[in-house]
Amino acid sequence: MAQLHGSLEDQGLSSMTFLNEVAGRYPDAVSFAAGRPFEDDFDPEDIHRYLRAYCRYLAQERGFGSAEVRRTLYQYGRTKGIINELVARNLDIDEDIHVHPEAIVVTVGCQEAMVLALRALKSEGNDVLLAIAPTYVGLTGAARLVDMRVLTVPGGPRGADLEGLAERVREARRAGLRPRACYVMPDFANPSGVSMDLAVRHALLDFADDNDLLLLEDNPYGLFHGENDRLPTLKSLDARRRVIYLGSYAKTALPGARIGYIIADQTVQDAQGHSGLLADQLAKIKSMLTVNTSPIAQAVVAGKLLENGCSLASANDAARQRYARQMRQLLTGLSARFGGASGLPGVEWNEPSGGFFVVLSLPFPADDELLEYSAREYRLLWTPMHHFYGGTGGHYQLRLCVSLVSGPQIETGLDRLHALVHDRMRRATAAAMKDAYNRLEFAPLKYSLTRQ
Amino acid sequence: MAQLHGSLEDQGLSSMTFLNEVAGRYPDAVSFAAGRPFEDDFDPEDIHRYLRAYCRYLAQERGFGSAEVRRTLYQYGRTKGIINELVARNLDIDEDIHVHPEAIVVTVGCQEAMVLALRALKSEGNDVLLAIAPTYVGLTGAARLVDMRVLTVPGGPRGADLEGLAERVREARRAGLRPRACYVMPDFANPSGVSMDLAVRHALLDFADDNDLLLLEDNPYGLFHGENDRLPTLKSLDARRRVIYLGSYAKTALPGARIGYIIADQTVQDAQGHSGLLADQLAKIKSMLTVNTSPIAQAVVAGKLLENGCSLASANDAARQRYARQMRQLLTGLSARFGGASGLPGVEWNEPSGGFFVVLSLPFPADDELLEYSAREYRLLWTPMHHFYGGTGGHYQLRLCVSLVSGPQIETGLDRLHALVHDRMRRATAAAMKDAYNRLEFAPLKYSLTRQ
């Protein structure tokens, strides 16, 4: 191990391994841990229909002959992707983002998009990335792969602390570091569940411009806002081209296609003064990383887009309502068990209006040992938040995910959570009392306590 | 550009961009450049059939219920891959390689497999990779991405120069470098077309063991040997676990699925003394790079494997014969035009028994300028070999690929090549004469020459 790359010693990695391993050992547990999308609406036949829809589009809208259709599905295809035009249409309709298809690179999920961006930006040894804590573990992983240090600033209840970020940039520059970009998830962030309000979004864009930074906007959950709650993405407000947008179809189309994308409409100039799109540079990196994204997988997502007039907003209506319902049930259930009169000191949670995640704070450590105990004794899974802080925080918090649980399962899960919390608090109280007892030095009092 | 990662300044990258760009401008040219597999045997309906074959296998052989089948195609799936068992069967039958499915990581094409291996091995700044020149550009690209230097040693007519390699290792170690592995393509190498004989293969394995190195064996073309010409892969001879095997289904199944894999059955020990497979470490890197390979794309390749009893050897019989026929036609055509009595001094080529590639040496530079001229004046495309030497050689060589050309096209292409060579030699002679004339200082002789 000592002779392999340092990323393999990453805390986040062993965390994921540990979490998967615990989940694997208790398959019958109620899981508030898994962050996968709900799958029951999917039918394997959909894949066939999507593929046919894409082939029809190639023939009818693009005028491809059968040899060209065959080549499109069979051969490698270009590095930048083959469905960029449909992605651009989708962004236009669903996100109010208007970009040229050539400013988009289709990627193997959003994870590859992150790696492309970070690989391009990590040029010198002192290049660093800013991120909001708690941070999505995929981001920290991508940064480790390219040996890029991540400086985190707690996001707080509004999702970003602009003062804190600015101070961090100054600090970093004084220390000889070069902050290149700041990673943000403005909508239903993973893991905090927090969404940024419009003022924070504008402030972030100003901050990026003032400090000559890029923003990496990651938006896998934005479509799960209610229609009236949706705020503009940073990219749709990005008049100054400060935003690189990381897109994912995993939650809104089909995780199994592994299709994501990156928008990079910034201008890059070479030594000869020629200028081009940053997207073209990212495509070059992709040519060394995966060459191209499977055209078959791209065709599947394209077919789903085509079936829905390139809008996934309405296609996800049922899913959005389901997740919102599950979120409401979870929040109501938390209130009923831990709120008001039945409240316990130190038990608190945030109340996202949708998305997948809620963060619960506890008056005792929510660590790996407690998760193990929770799984074994209560058949209940959740995610310790310290994994998202790289060990620097979140020790008393856990993440609850609502995407895969519904109806009575949520109630059962919450009952178990309630029992676990009371169990642990009793044990904590008992331990504290035992500790106090052991410290007592007046023997007659000890004797009288023991006899009670 | 100066603020982006150094890999973007890579010579090989701009080469590929340049080559694609030239090919794009002359779509009607005869192309000995493109290295894609022949596609006419493919029908888009095959994809549907493969998917159904895989679903049937899940239900019948693995006992999956319909919910499990749905989940397998729809959700992310595990990082290591979901078709490892079928890949292992395939290796057992076609390659005489016997590995546990858990020693395999399924990747997004062979390119990702290379990145995984190099990312794991590039731990310290002085870690370097050995490779045989000329070298596949995908390998140099992957190395650039992880900032790993590549030391090349000319392969020569037998595909590897063991003395040269050993000397290079000694040199590197004297210079404080740490060679970690040597990249080799023992069968129909890209771009040289050369295959290694059995003695060279054994010598390579000994060399790796003697020098405490790993071998990265890349084998996209092995199945295109005639049944009686096939030699064992390094991995099948790898009693000492020195070989990491990079597999590709692009040429033998379906490029558009982008499915490759890596075998890493070496043992890795952590600081606590626990040991596990190197494959598990590579999977961790994959979790930070692409998370997992599209299950849908994996299912397509799995279906093709299942339809053929997990052997692609016989499934590729027709393709193999086609490529061999095209190779023979090309070699015969080269002989007819440039061999024997019609021979031109300095025009030479190697004679692979199959595969995709032949290297032609010329008495004048086969550079990008000549390719541009060849495309414009003769509608003929090929690949300048200097791109595979990182600028350190191959300036008088070009690569001819036979995979996409057949019958009369080959003859037309060779006629154009012949015309190009004569054209250039005439120009070279004329230039040499003009140069000689200009150097003449005896005016009466100049005058008499001009009057002729």
Side-chain angles (χ1 to χ4, degrees), chain A residues 9-33:
Chain A
E9 303 284 3
D10 189 45
Q11 192 54 40
L13 257 189
S14 11
S15 303
M16 296 315 291
T17 313
F18 168 74
L19 296 176
N20 287 333
E21 188 265 322
V22 174
R25 267 189 291 130
Y26 301 98
D28 57 333
V30 173
S31 178
F32 290 130

Side-chain angles (χ1 to χ4, degrees), chain B residues 249-426:
Chain B
Y249 285 120
K251 309 299 186 291
T252 53
L254 214 163
R258 291 301 296 135
I259 299 295
Y261 56 90
I262 187 163
I263 308 176
D265 56 356
Q266 288 74 15
T267 300
V268 173
Q269 210 157 42
D270 69 14
Q272 290 77 46
H274 304 133
S275 62
L277 285 168
L278 178 57
D280 289 316
Q281 302 304 322
L282 299 182
K284 283 188 194 173
I285 292 181
K286 182 171 168 68
S287 75
M288 300 183 268
L289 201 61
T290 58
V291 182
N292 65 319
T293 306
S294 163
I296 296 173
Q298 291 185 69
V300 169
V301 165
K304 176 152 186 174
L305 286 171
L306 287 160
E307 271 199 359
N308 293 283
C310 285
S311 165
L312 292 178
S314 47
N316 275 282
D317 243 7
R320 180 177 61 71
Q321 285 175 32
R322 164 186 296 279
Y323 295 137
R325 198 166 54 238
Q326 290 166 188
M327 177 59 83
R328 277 195 305 275
Q329 190 185 336
L330 183 85
L331 294 173
T332 309
L334 283 171
S335 279
R337 285 166 185 85
F338 299 107
S342 43
L344 289 171
V347 179
E348 284 164 10
W349 59 93
N350 61 346
E351 304 203 332
S353 65
F356 283 21
F357 309 110
V358 169
V359 173
L360 183 72
S361 300
L362 295 171
F364 47 82
D367 52 14
D368 293 353
E369 187 261 317
L370 185 67
L371 170 62
E372 182 78 53
Y373 182 77
S374 168
R376 190 176 65 239
E377 300 296 324
Y378 293 95
R379 293 294 186 274
L380 179 71
L381 299 172
W382 37 265
T383 309
M385 281 289 289
H386 73 87
H387 293 296
F388 301 99
Y389 282 90
T392 67
H395 297 292
Y396 291 76
Q397 296 185 322
L398 55 85
R399 187 192 77 177
L400 300 173
C401 177
V402 299
S403 64
L404 282 182
V405 283
S406 63
Q409 251 190 322
I410 295 182
E411 301 306 323
T412 308
L414 286 172
D415 286 343
R416 292 178 184 179
L417 181 64
H418 188 251
L420 170 72
V421 169
H422 277 273
D423 167 347
R424 187 47 60 116
M425 287 186 82
R426 254 197 317 277

Side-chain angles (χ1 to χ4, degrees), chain B residues 152-225:
Chain B
T152 58
V153 178
R158 295 182 71 193
D161 163 13
L162 275 303
E163 283 299 308
L165 282 170
E167 176 51 31
R168 204 66 200 260
V169 170
R170 283 191 297 271
E171 241 177 61
R173 287 189 173 145
R174 273 198 303 269
L177 302 175
R178 182 165 70 157
R180 303 299 309 265
C182 179
Y183 171 83
V184 290
M185 214 189 270
D187 293 277
F188 300 136
N190 181 3
S192 73
V194 171
S195 295
M196 298 176 186
D197 62 31
L198 193 59
V200 170
R201 291 171 198 241
H202 280 294
L204 258 177
L205 289 163
D206 290 341
F207 157 76
D209 205 51
D210 294 346
N211 290 279
D212 195 17
L213 292 172
L214 288 164
L215 296 171
L216 304 182
E217 178 179 30
D218 188 3
N219 184 22
Y221 307 104
L223 274 195
F224 301 128
H225 280 290

Side-chain angles (χ1 to χ4, degrees), chain A residues 45 52 74 76 251 256, chain B residues 45 52 71 74 76 251 256:
Chain A
E45 275 308 307
R52 291 189 205 285
Y74 181 73
Y76 299 85
K251 309 297 185 292
Chain B
E45 276 307 308
R52 289 188 206 286
R71 184 169 315 137
Y74 181 74
Y76 298 86
K251 309 299 186 291

